[in-house]
Amino acid sequence: MTPRRRLDARTAYVGIQRPAGLPLAARLLLAVAIVALGGLVLLTATGSLTKLVAGFGSQLGSAVNVVTATEGPTAIPSGPIDIPTLVAPTEAYTNKPAVDITGQLPGVAVGQSGYRIRLYVTFKGKQPAQVAEIAAPATTAFFTFPAVSLESGANDFTATVLDAAGNESQPSSAIRYVLDTTPPKTTISSPKAGATIDTPTVDLIGRTQARSSLTVRNEANASTVTGTAAADGTFRITVPLDPGPNGLTITATDPAGNVGTTTIGVTRGGKTLTVVLHASTYRFTATKLPSSLTLTAVVTDPTGAPVPNADVTFSLSIPGVPVVTQDVPTDGTGTAVFQTTVPKGASVGSGPALAFVTTTQFGTASDRVVITVQ
């Protein structure tokens, strides 16, 4: 039998080692978890869990947005962009195949970074088509589209402004260029070519392109007369003639700058303006003076037609009597009448009575008769 080992009284007593208990904080957290688990089971059973999770997520997202948001540029609400203005040409018609088109930006667009200007052209029966685009000037409101090509006929241009975001304004009011490279044609309706004109001037009557500038040169006397065709193309120009043949060259320059010429030849005949003077009495008796005298002048043009409203200057010169003069206009029959008196004291002898007439269209003419005192 094995003897029992006797413990030494000096040997220390060793107790059983038990695990240490949970800290107080851990035990509290465990209790909360158990309560939360019970609540979760209850929410699941009642269908409220989904709403709770969604609400929690929304609140969490808002909180995150607040925390993570950084300050950025303030957005400017986009509104209508002001419309630019194009400068209309002084003369729409041109024979140049390309033109510079100028305009002006609205004030709010001047100096804006990224702004651009577009140019559109519209032809009859077609939609507007973009033809050019330039950057908006940085320091001035004025801009130019250089050397813009034109097509034959009417070219209607409009412009728009684009902001930095690409928003485009409404189009500007249209301006028009008309490309015309055809020389104007001129026709003369009067006088007929080769006509004989019995007056010192002739009225050229005809038609050409509307608003054309006209120059008529008479090669016979090197005279030049200018005029302008009316809005319907008609014209009348008075040209001086020399006796004999007269070659007239008519040069028409249309509004676009195109030039066309035509010629016509006429002959100035030998007939001229005529005045015929008559006296009521040609002889007076000195012993029967004073006595009345009536002088009558009849004025006709080179064709023999009466000339109304022509100024006739009458003069009477009798020996021993001061010279008498008087201006009298012709009436509708071309007749002018001057009444005077041969006074007592007139010397025996003869003196002239004269009628002198001047017209703008037909030149001058004169006639005389002799008055005798016996």
Side-chain angles (χ1 to χ4, degrees):
M1 174 173 190
T2 303
R4 180 179 296 180
R5 186 179 179 182
R6 186 175 180 182
L7 295 176
D8 190 330
R10 292 174 298 180
T11 302
Y13 173 80
V14 179
I16 299 174
Q17 299 292 321
R18 299 174 183 266
L22 291 175
L24 178 59
R27 282 182 284 172
L28 291 175
L29 182 59
L30 179 59
V32 170
I34 293 171
V35 173
L37 180 59
L40 180 61
V41 172
L42 179 61
L43 290 173
T44 302
T46 60
S48 300
L49 178 61
T50 302
K51 296 180 181 179
L52 180 63
V53 172
F56 178 75
S58 175
Q59 295 297 324
L60 180 61
S62 298
V64 170
N65 287 338
V66 171
V67 173
T68 60
T70 58
E71 185 177 355
T74 303
I76 301 176
S78 62
I81 305 174
D82 287 349
I83 300 172
T85 302
L86 292 180
V87 178
T90 303
E91 174 54 63
Y93 283 79
T94 180
N95 57 6
K96 294 177 171 50
V99 294
D100 293 344
I101 296 179
T102 60
Q104 185 174 357
L105 282 173
V108 295
V110 176
Q112 294 291 338
S113 176
Y115 273 54
R116 301 189 66 79
I117 314 166
R118 282 181 181 170
L119 184 68
Y120 294 85
V121 66
T122 304
F123 302 106
K124 185 177 180 180
K126 296 184 179 180
Q127 294 296 316
Q130 181 181 336
V131 293
E133 182 175 315
I134 59 174
T139 60
T140 178
F142 298 97
F143 59 84
T144 299
F145 290 96
V148 178
S149 297
L150 301 177
E151 292 190 15
S152 182
N155 298 249
D156 293 328
F157 291 98
T158 56
T160 62
V161 175
L162 287 82
D163 63 17
N167 300 306
E168 189 170 13
S169 73
Q170 291 295 313
S172 67
S173 297
I175 65 169
R176 172 170 288 186
Y177 281 90
V178 180
L179 178 58
D180 176 13
T181 57
T182 303
K185 180 181 179 181
T186 302
T187 58
I188 303 297
S189 58
S190 180
K192 300 297 183 183
T196 297
I197 310 299
D198 291 322
T199 58
T201 62
V202 64
D203 283 347
L204 280 182
I205 302 172
R207 183 185 296 272
T208 187
Q209 185 170 330
R211 300 188 298 111
S212 292
S213 298
L214 295 160
T215 301
V216 182
R217 177 179 171 82
N218 187 346
E219 302 300 338
N221 54 23
S223 64
T224 299
V225 183
T226 60
T228 304
D232 61 355
T234 59
F235 63 86
R236 178 191 291 261
I237 300 177
T238 302
V239 183
L241 299 177
D242 270 10
N246 292 256
L248 309 179
T249 300
I250 303 96
T251 301
T253 304
D254 68 19
N258 305 300
V259 178
T261 60
T262 188
T263 60
I264 184 174
V266 297
T267 299
R268 179 180 172 184
K271 295 181 180 180
T272 60
L273 179 73
T274 301
V275 58
V276 178
L277 179 62
H278 301 279
S280 59
T281 302
Y282 293 92
R283 290 180 178 274
F284 294 88
T285 301
T287 59
K288 295 182 179 181
L289 297 177
S291 184
S292 63
L293 172 66
T294 300
L295 298 175
T296 303
V298 178
V299 183
T300 55
D301 68 17
T303 67
V307 180
N309 301 315
D311 287 330
V312 179
T313 300
F314 293 93
S315 68
L316 176 63
S317 179
I318 295 176
V321 177
V323 176
V324 178
T325 62
Q326 181 72 47
D327 290 334
V328 181
T330 59
D331 59 18
T333 67
T335 302
V337 178
F338 171 51
Q339 292 182 329
T340 187
T341 299
V342 178
K344 186 176 181 178
S347 301
V348 174
S350 298
L354 178 68
F356 181 82
V357 62
T358 301
T359 65
T360 302
Q361 186 175 6
F362 305 111
T364 63
S366 63
D367 195 18
R368 61 182 291 169
V369 295
V370 176
I371 304 298
T372 301
V373 177
Q374 57 187 15

